[in-house]
Amino acid sequence: MERNISPKFGSSLPVPCVQELAKESPEIIIPTRYVREDLEPLPLAVKQIPVINMANLLKGKSEELKKMDIASKEWGFFQLINHGVSSSLVEKVKTETKDIFHLPMEEKKKFWQKPGDLQGFGSAFVHSEEQKLDWCDLFYIITLPTYLRKPDLFPSLPLPFRETVEMYAEELRNLAMTLIDYLAKALGIEQEHIRGLFNEGLQAMRMNHYPRCPQPDKVIGLYPHSDATGLTIVLQLNETEGLQVKKDGMWIHVKPLPDAFIVNIGDIIEILSNGTYHSAEHRAVVNSEEERLSIATFFNPRLDAEFGPAPTLITPQNPAKFRTVGVEDYFKGLFAGRLERKAYIEVMRIQMEDSPNS
Ligand code: OGA
Ligand code: NI
């Protein structure tokens, strides 16, 4: 199929630039739109999320595959070490992305979201002037397949950033494909089925900049949510911590290991696995001393595919728990709503009307 236009998944209202707000004065009164009253005072646990060694997976070590399988069921998150992406490329991604967020406002305006579109600097999931906002500026861009790139955004990105994003996109696509193959193997999903879905898969990056906040406890950098994607690979760009994962009613602080990626299972893989794998809620908190930056690279099935629980996992004893949907419709539905907890996957869940407990 020949396509040359970037898909339109919807839009989000314009919001202030948090970096500009935070700059005004260190003593600023936080605008009420950012002040949250509903932040759960869940206990914070000091615990390390599972660590998976990619080199062992590639050597075919079954214990490592088992470890990844358990991490995907129980946590939905793990750190990936020895992932094979060159550290010089990762360093370039870190520096050049920081530079993009620190460009003068006049420059950044060239890459601002246009009305009716989601790509560029701006917001996501904001649909009313009353809605609370995250203490975060974001840059969202569709990176692969190349024919879905936005023709007036991608080519206008400054060099060397554009080339670095292109290289990083390729490397992360390959890494995500390999991981998804292993996950499918652990789950007992046919490789052909998985490949059919994820070949030419839709990849997007959400680059997050969380400026310093004088009253960090009043705001949230990124509200608790699960990712609607297949698989997400997060790179933290600086040392400041802030990502937290919900596990057993607690928020677990993620301390990125040097040279590791943070990988998380998204809603699409939870659906494909018919609920066996867990797309975990997570959030980002902010800091009064330092800014924080990250890139979440989302890897999804191809835009013209449909997905639902994998046929090999469905039996009379284990019926499908989720509907089958088209990828494009799924994303349109996602961006029409808010990013809140696990709300969107619930829309996909089949209600068991005649279940004995209902
Ligand atoms: C996201 C996300 C976490 C972070 O962009 O979906 O969860 O550490 N980011 O910024
Ligand atoms: Ni996320």
Side-chain angles (χ1 to χ4, degrees):
M1 186 181 40
E2 210 25 59
R3 278 194 190 243
N4 52 16
I5 41 161
S6 203
K8 289 254 190 297
F9 292 131
S11 58
S12 178
L13 292 175
V15 298
C17 174
V18 178
Q19 192 180 358
E20 296 292 305
L21 272 179
K23 224 186 250 171
E24 279 169 16
S25 137
E27 316 288 271
I28 55 157
I29 311 273
I30 313 280
T32 51
R33 259 187 113 183
Y34 296 88
V35 177
R36 303 280 189 161
E37 314 287 347
D38 64 340
L39 296 176
E40 299 161 329
L42 291 183
L44 261 175
V46 187
K47 217 186 214 181
Q48 190 56 275
I49 66 169
V51 177
I52 303 300
N53 185 342
M54 181 89 186
N56 286 342
L57 278 181
L58 294 174
K59 279 184 208 143
K61 294 203 172 163
S62 58
E63 320 86 83
E64 204 68 30
L65 187 64
K66 187 78 209 154
K67 250 169 91 178
M68 184 163 77
D69 183 51
I70 293 172
S72 305
K73 283 178 183 150
E74 296 181 356
W75 285 80
F77 262 82
F78 53 87
Q79 300 213 42
L80 187 70
I81 57 168
N82 292 324
H83 48 65
V85 178
S86 90
S87 52
S88 63
L89 175 60
V90 171
E91 284 313 308
K92 274 171 71 70
V93 170
K94 288 181 177 175
T95 336
E96 292 169 19
T97 309
K98 278 180 223 160
D99 291 347
I100 286 291
F101 278 103
H102 289 111
L103 282 175
M105 201 56 189
E106 279 315 302
E107 283 300 306
K108 289 205 287 193
K109 279 191 181 146
K110 294 182 191 159
F111 314 112
W112 225 265
Q113 285 170 349
K114 306 267 186 314
D117 198 8
L118 285 167
Q119 295 190 66
F121 285 107
S123 71
F125 308 105
V126 180
H127 305 289
S128 96
E129 298 294 337
E130 282 77 53
Q131 200 176 323
K132 292 283 181 184
L133 299 177
D134 292 341
W135 194 262
C136 174
D137 291 326
L138 65 88
F139 182 87
Y140 180 77
I141 189 164
I142 292 176
T143 43
L144 286 174
T146 50
Y147 55 81
L148 293 183
R149 285 179 184 168
K150 191 171 151 70
D152 59 343
L153 176 65
F154 216 98
S156 69
L157 293 177
L159 289 170
F161 179 66
R162 189 203 325 153
E163 281 178 3
T164 302
V165 169
E166 287 193 290
M167 283 189 280
Y168 187 62
E170 291 285 329
E171 293 276 331
L172 260 63
R173 188 251 332 262
N174 296 339
L175 177 60
M177 271 310 253
T178 309
L179 287 172
I180 289 174
D181 268 351
Y182 281 109
L183 292 171
K185 187 173 171 195
L187 280 163
I189 300 178
E190 281 171 2
Q191 197 182 47
E192 226 171 293
H193 181 71
I194 279 290
R195 290 283 173 96
L197 280 174
F198 286 94
N199 266 340
E200 302 228 319
L202 178 74
Q203 186 197 61
M205 293 187 190
R206 178 181 159 134
M207 306 182 184
N208 300 299
H209 178 215
Y210 306 96
R212 292 186 305 130
C213 180
Q215 290 172 290
D217 297 339
K218 287 201 165 166
V219 306
I220 190 87
L222 184 49
Y223 195 77
H225 67 283
S226 64
D227 292 349
T229 53
L231 200 70
T232 306
I233 301 180
V234 178
L235 174 67
Q236 189 164 303
L237 306 184
N238 62 349
E239 303 288 304
T240 316
E241 287 166 19
L243 176 62
Q244 298 178 344
V245 180
K246 201 177 199 175
K247 169 106 167 59
D248 305 328
M250 277 187 274
W251 287 111
I252 314 284
H253 225 78
V254 178
K255 289 189 199 300
L257 297 169
D259 301 319
F261 287 127
I262 296 150
V263 177
N264 62 293
I265 301 291
D267 296 346
I268 292 177
I269 289 190
E270 178 168 333
I271 292 172
L272 271 169
S273 74
N274 204 29
T276 300
Y277 283 176
H278 178 54
S279 166
E281 255 184 63
H282 52 284
R283 67 179 189 180
V285 298
V286 297
N287 192 292
S288 60
E289 303 302 317
E290 291 166 281
E291 63 175 8
R292 178 169 176 268
L293 294 109
S294 69
I295 302 179
T297 304
F298 303 122
F299 196 61
N300 300 297
R302 52 189 298 139
L303 199 57
D304 56 0
E306 283 192 330
F307 70 94
T312 46
L313 304 183
I314 303 307
T315 59
Q317 291 74 38
N318 186 25
K321 296 190 174 107
F322 301 95
R323 291 187 282 126
T324 291
V325 281
V327 176
E328 191 158 358
D329 287 344
Y330 173 84
F331 281 109
K332 284 187 174 152
L334 170 75
F335 286 111
R338 293 185 181 184
L339 188 64
E340 260 179 6
R341 307 198 177 269
K342 294 196 49 151
Y344 196 50
I345 195 171
E346 288 313 313
V347 177
M348 300 296 138
R349 194 181 293 278
I350 295 172
Q351 300 304 324
M352 304 282 179
E353 268 146 41
D354 37 28
S355 111
N357 301 324
S358 65

